[in-house]
Amino acid sequence: MTSVWLATRPPQREFPELDEDVRADVAVIGGGIVGLTSAVLLQEAGLRVVLLEANRLGHGVSGHTTAKVTSQHGLIYARLRARFGADGARTYAAANQAGLEWIADRVAADGIECDFRRRPAYAYVTSAARRHKADREAQAAEQAGLPAWLAETTPLPFDVEAAVRFDNQAEFHAGRYLAALADSLAGARIFERSHAVEVSSNGDRTVKTPGGRVTAGHVIVATHYPFLDRSLAFARLTPQRSYAILCRVAGALPEGMFISGDSPTRSVRAVPLDGEERLLVGGEGHKTGTGGDTRVRYQRLEDFARRHWDVRSVDFRWSAQDNVTLDGVPYVGPVTPWDDRVLMATGFGKWGLTGGTAAALILADRVLGHENPWADLFDPSRLSQLASPRLVKENAEVGLRFVGDRLTKPGRRSLDDLRAGEGDIVRHEGERLAAFRDEDGTVTAVSPVCTHRGCQVAFNHAERSWDCPCHGSRFAVDGSVLQGPAVHRLEHRPLEERGGSRSSRRNSA
Ligand code: FES
């Protein structure tokens, strides 16, 4: 499903596929907010930049957010202060405020028409039992140097117990902003549909794609989920999906951006579109590849919107996937401690527009050999997360899935049981298949074994994709890669070759 940002952005320039070997000072892998911002910074510092995007620029996670540009990331500052001390919370705040202001300056300097506007951000709680969380958060955020204070009310059309308000935050149209960043990369070489599958180190660093290689002094892996296994990111990130809808409503909308500190999480903001303000509601986060029928998630968001506003229509529905780190701070810096020329940025916990811009500032400084005051906090090799109990728990869960899915889930249904529009792991001639039957009755079958590390994929009904619960790889129904860390497609299972009685593209109900 297409986000409002992609559906209403200006026509996008197309870039060629990489089909030769090229050289650069820096190879940037990934054309989202981190990759584009890094490329702009490095190009403007005089370096030769090559940018590789597996799909189209800005079409990944960055094009599917709520497009809030804020340092308020839920109720995070009290947690950061407890884990990293007051200095750590202050550093996180400073990096994100710098990201926000970099975007504001860029919009002003380049005259980018992306509906950028300043708004207060509120993180609210509705239950008296959670009021102490808002109190603590307001205090921690203020101590971190943010323009934060505790508010007793908000402009929302329902009562809250308390809210932490950050002044002078912002929101924009993510698609138009990303398109403008891409346009300002006139001096860089950009390649789309050029999927990096390997980075090797042999003097310079070399990025391999199916069509050619890029040899560069530095490589920035800004692929959302780093596909390099040596980053061990797959052991330290939890992929999460979340959902958003955009509604036309009667009446005025509250001025501000809002997120609940209660469960379930609800994210609210207004979006100017075609001369009127629309209501954006987000939330319903869950771990990728789990959580049941994903179509229900959209319905719950719509129910929330209808409970509080006079909704006339729901015009857009979209979902996103982002990674959460073990300690809540993104991983930004060298992929490994022993190679500072291959860098990564990941784990923005659904706050990637501001956090991703801050990450690009850190990565550009690293490439240019400049000191950066935030780099240590975000260093992927920091010690705080290595001893995390979550590391043990997450990896134990992945291990159980790897073994358990294979041994205990042979596929409960047969291929013939699949209804139109349905996908599932099925049994067929003694083999497990990931099979999808479309509305015409045509069945497409692929292997259910994720090509990253062998876990079993699960069907995502809302997106019609195969999602892996272990590290979040996603595949289209035909098995092609939608999202890494997997770089290889799910194997096709041509049913017509099995006893001559079946076709994987058959036309029967
Ligand atoms: Fe790692 Fe599937 S994403 S096993």
Side-chain angles (χ1 to χ4, degrees), residues 415 433-436 443-447 477-478 491-495 504:
L415 191 58
L433 300 176
F436 171 73
V443 173
T444 304
V446 293
S447 162
V477 290
D478 69 357
E491 280 174 35
H492 185 48
R493 291 286 189 257
L495 300 177
S504 68

Side-chain angles (χ1 to χ4, degrees), residues 1-271:
M1 299 194 194
T2 309
S3 75
V4 64
W5 319 123
L6 295 185
T8 61
R9 62 184 267 166
Q12 194 179 350
R13 213 171 119 206
E14 300 240 359
F15 295 93
E17 277 182 56
L18 181 66
D19 60 0
E20 58 178 336
D21 292 349
V22 297
R23 292 194 70 86
D25 296 317
V26 186
V28 177
I29 310 173
I33 187 95
V34 177
L36 286 169
T37 310
S38 301
V40 167
L41 287 163
L42 293 167
Q43 175 194 261
E44 292 179 355
L47 300 192
R48 289 173 306 153
V49 177
V50 167
L51 192 150
L52 300 171
E53 164 56 45
N55 183 5
R56 304 289 317 281
L57 295 183
H59 277 223
V61 183
S62 302
H64 290 85
T65 69
T66 55
K68 295 177 176 176
V69 186
T70 177
S71 301
Q72 185 182 73
H73 299 170
L75 301 177
I76 196 177
Y77 289 95
R79 287 202 305 277
L80 290 174
R81 186 175 63 178
R83 186 178 287 270
F84 297 98
D87 281 350
R90 199 173 297 116
T91 301
Y92 185 92
N96 280 282
Q97 283 291 105
L100 190 169
E101 295 306 331
W102 192 90
I103 291 172
D105 290 348
R106 194 84 202 180
V107 168
D110 291 1
I112 300 172
E113 292 181 5
C114 61
D115 301 326
F116 181 91
R117 59 189 185 183
R118 294 286 183 170
R119 285 289 184 270
Y122 297 84
Y124 64 88
V125 294
T126 54
S127 78
R130 293 182 72 85
R131 185 183 172 101
H132 68 285
K133 290 199 176 277
D135 287 341
R136 220 164 35 212
E137 178 69 9
Q139 208 256 340
E142 191 186 0
Q143 189 184 11
L146 290 158
W149 49 284
L150 191 71
E152 298 295 330
T153 60
T154 73
L156 286 166
F158 51 84
D159 289 339
V160 304
E161 182 65 29
V164 185
R165 174 172 161 154
F166 285 18
D167 290 324
N168 216 24
Q169 305 297 294
E171 60 191 19
F172 66 2
H173 187 301
R176 291 188 194 138
Y177 176 75
L178 292 167
L181 275 192
D183 286 345
S184 68
L185 276 172
R189 297 189 72 185
I190 299 175
F191 299 95
E192 292 183 318
R193 300 184 179 90
S194 301
H195 199 155
V197 295
E198 190 183 305
V199 177
S200 56
S201 303
N202 188 9
D204 277 338
R205 309 298 179 262
T206 301
V207 183
K208 188 174 160 195
T209 76
R213 296 164 195 267
V214 185
T215 303
H218 284 85
V219 174
I220 292 177
V221 183
T223 53
H224 176 245
Y225 200 118
F227 61 97
L228 305 175
D229 276 1
R230 64 179 180 268
S231 72
L232 293 182
F234 59 84
R236 299 187 281 151
L237 290 169
T238 305
Q240 296 228 337
R241 296 201 67 72
S242 55
Y243 301 80
I245 59 173
L246 191 81
C247 313
R248 178 177 275 126
V249 297
L253 288 171
E255 190 174 305
M257 304 177 289
F258 308 87
I259 189 154
S260 60
D262 310 306
S263 185
T265 303
R266 293 288 178 260
S267 178
V268 173
R269 60 162 282 200
V271 174

Side-chain angles (χ1 to χ4, degrees), residues 440-504:
D440 299 332
T442 305
V443 173
T444 304
V446 293
S447 162
V449 178
C450 175
T451 54
H452 176 232
R453 298 210 145 215
C455 291
Q456 179 168 293
V457 296
F459 194 65
N460 177 339
H461 277 95
E463 302 301 323
R464 293 197 167 177
S465 61
W466 295 106
D467 296 359
C468 180
C470 284
H471 314 109
S473 292
R474 297 182 57 241
F475 305 87
V477 290
D478 69 357
S480 55
V481 177
L482 296 173
Q483 201 158 348
V487 294
H488 301 295
R489 56 174 303 129
L490 297 176
E491 280 174 35
H492 185 48
R493 291 286 189 257
L495 300 177
E496 68 271 19
E497 290 170 12
R498 292 151 199 274
S501 60
R502 298 272 184 180
S503 165
S504 68

